[in-house]
Amino acid sequence: MAAAAAAGGPPWRKVLYERQPFPDNYVDQRFLAELRKNVRARRYRYGAVAFQSGAVVQQLCSVCVFVLTWWYMAAGRLSPQRLFGAALASSLLGYVLFDAVDRGAGRRQSGRTRWADLKSTLVFAAFTYGFSPVLKTLTESISTDTIYAMSALMLLGHLIFFDYGANAAIVSSTLSLNMAIFASVCLASRLPRSLHTFVVVTFAMQIFALWPMLQKKLKARTPRCYIGVTVLFALVALAGLATISSVSAVLFASLLLAISCLCPYCLIRLQLLKDNIHGPWDEAEIKEDLSRFLM
Amino acid sequence: MVLKVFFPSCCASAESGILIGRWICEQNSAVILAVVHFPFIPAQVKQYLSEVQRVTKVSVSVLGSWSNSKQEKEESLSEFLKDLGTIFSHEPWIQISKEGDSKFWSCSTLQKHTSNPEEEEIIFVYYDQCKVMLSHLHPPLDTAASTDHKADDASKLSAIFDTVARSKVLFMTDRYDEGPIKLTHWQSDGVEASIIVELLKQASVPACMLLAFLLSLVSGICRSRVLKFWPLSFLWSKLSTCEQLGHRLQHLQVISSTKNAQNQTQLMRKANIFVSLLVDVALGVLLMSWLYRKNRIGHLADTLIPVADHVAEELQNLLQWLMGAPAGLKMNRALDQVLGRFFLYHIHLWISYIHLLSPFIEMILWYVGLSACLGLTVVLCILSDIIALLTFHIYCFYVYGARLYCLKIYGLSSLWRLFRGKKWNVLRQRVDSCSYDLDQLFIGTLLFTILLFLLPTTALYYLVFTLLRLLVVIVQGLIHLLVDLIDSLPLYSIILRLCRSYRLAAGVKFRVLEQQDGKPLRLLMQINPLSYGSVVQTYRLPTYSCYPKDSWSSLCKKLFLGELIYPWKHKGKKQ
């Protein structure tokens, strides 16, 4: 066969619909010349990855701060009025900051008026206040262990389904928010009076729904400010955790460090071991716009 | 082919003469209806036969000759009989002769126009003319499954039965008539008649007319506009007594119609309705006489109030149990208390109402008991209505519990979809993803939590009241089943099958009689009566059915979702 090729006959072409003097499974020296490796592998930079991991750190700290607050209320160390006052002040601050960061561009774009904001605030405040007696007696007959397990599960689910900016199918911001609210209601129903319940549920709403919105905007507009806020938040959470138990504070600190420093390093190192091969055998992807075929 | 001669057993000892009957060409059989004796004038015989043919529409003709001689065969008689064949031309001409008291007859046929003069085989089939005339042949019930063979046999038999039944006018002349023709058949010794039957027949016409007039008055009143106003019409539709009375009124109208029954089925139905009504009224009057003796009505009324009190007390105990920790289940205390108190107050109202009515109960019962003379079925219907009335509060509780539970399930399923970030697309009838606003999410999740934790409490109340309601429904259903049974049972047909079984024929059976070589085969045809099961199935009267509306699986689904169930078709409950 090589003799036939060397004899100067027609060169081998990679087609099967023509009779050639070569066998069907013959390939010449251009075998696997079209193999490409790691065509779409991205080169990450350490700083950018660490910056993005700040979202995960933020959420972990949110959960931690919420549980801490609940713990203080349950132990009686924090009074509901004080918490309510603090939460109100910080949400007012955050509200002003939200508009000031991009100088009103986002608000103009979304078309949402301040009056609409005020209305929704009033609606859910009234609703929560009205239902707080019902919420308080909801889990009376269920044992404490069940409540703790359920809340832990729900908060874990909140962390899993949260929208960290990735484009995956598992992400569902609605589900994560709902799970967080469910967990907060479960926990809040264990507190002594209905005012506690109202305050805790409102606080949960602020920390799980409004805080991420502000952070997303900060991340987009002022990255340096964002890093500073993240670090501050983490320190606050650690300090609060340390007042309860130092072991858990140490563990939590190591977790945060692992997520923000260790994981990006691992990611970049593992990228070097990536070994994707591409070639003409891949499935065809239609890249052009097919809408011109629609009538 | 084999020639079959159907000979009536009553003519076996008749004197010599000619045979008249019907020749069924397709089956090669001759059905003999009577024997005409000597002396006769052939022209008069022919005229008589043509008259009979005109009236009965059966092609009766002279089939052959019959000679019953006590002595040896006479040559001259046989020649005479052969000559008769030329006068009454019939193909083939059958000659039967009996010698002395011998059981075995000889038969020969004369064929004038056949090419092959071979000997034909002849079979004698004896039949009881009276029974065959009165009998009614029922076709096989599974006509779809029967083969052609069976259908052929059935039609052959029905031709024979038909012939005899329709020739009734032939059997009206007996030997005391002064006509030119002397016949022998089953009634020739004297036409059977009964004075009572004749009197009843004469009396029934004016009685029917009177009854029809009264019924038209009653139905006119019932249809009047006064009774059609909304609350009253709703009440009539809910009471089962009114339905039963309407049904019986319809029956009476059928009986009292002055038109004669067209065919056998209609006649049997009229008779069944009449007997059923009679039995019903008799049982009702019996019950009434038992009730009104020794002041039993008073005793009944006296026990009614304590029974209602007892039921209410049991319900109160049940509610107290539910308000505690029933079966160790964890209930939400606040909701529990609310629901329990609400139902207790309801019971309290009900008991006060019953006590208010207690002085009048005896009088009401006394008058209601009078309606037992309308029939036992009416009494049973009234009983079922009284049960419905006494357990009205259970029905109310069931409706409240079911509505609450249904609302909760509906809300929960919708909010569960919101929890996952999805929505029901009504246009496409599927679940789609949806981006909700923040406040919608928040309030939705709160409500979901509340409904979820309150579910066990509501579900328990719903379960308890549904079970109670089902119990009451089962009891009412049993009573109505009994009423249906009495309504639809064809008593007249069953009694007929018991006493005169030959009148309802499913078929025939043949018994082989003694044989002798050289003589034709003799068979005895006996009527095979219908089995009791097929009698009931064929003749049962139609009723307003009360069959379950839902299959088991859809019933379970409705119970699970909390939809209200109305298990019986056409059956309602009091408002």
Side-chain angles (χ1 to χ4, degrees), chain A residues 120 131 141 174-175 178 205, chain B residues 330 418-419 439 441-442 445:
Chain A
S120 19
F131 268 98
S141 53
T174 321
L175 188 58
N178 284 338
M205 182 62 183
Chain B
K330 312 274 178 67
L418 181 138
F419 195 86
D439 37 4
L441 278 180
F442 183 64
T445 309

Side-chain angles (χ1 to χ4, degrees), chain A residues 69 72-73 76-86 195-196 199:
Chain A
T69 326
Y72 284 150
M73 296 269 283
R77 284 206 249 174
L78 182 62
S79 80
Q81 291 89 346
R82 219 188 283 178
L83 176 62
F84 188 66
L195 187 62
H196 293 84
V199 169

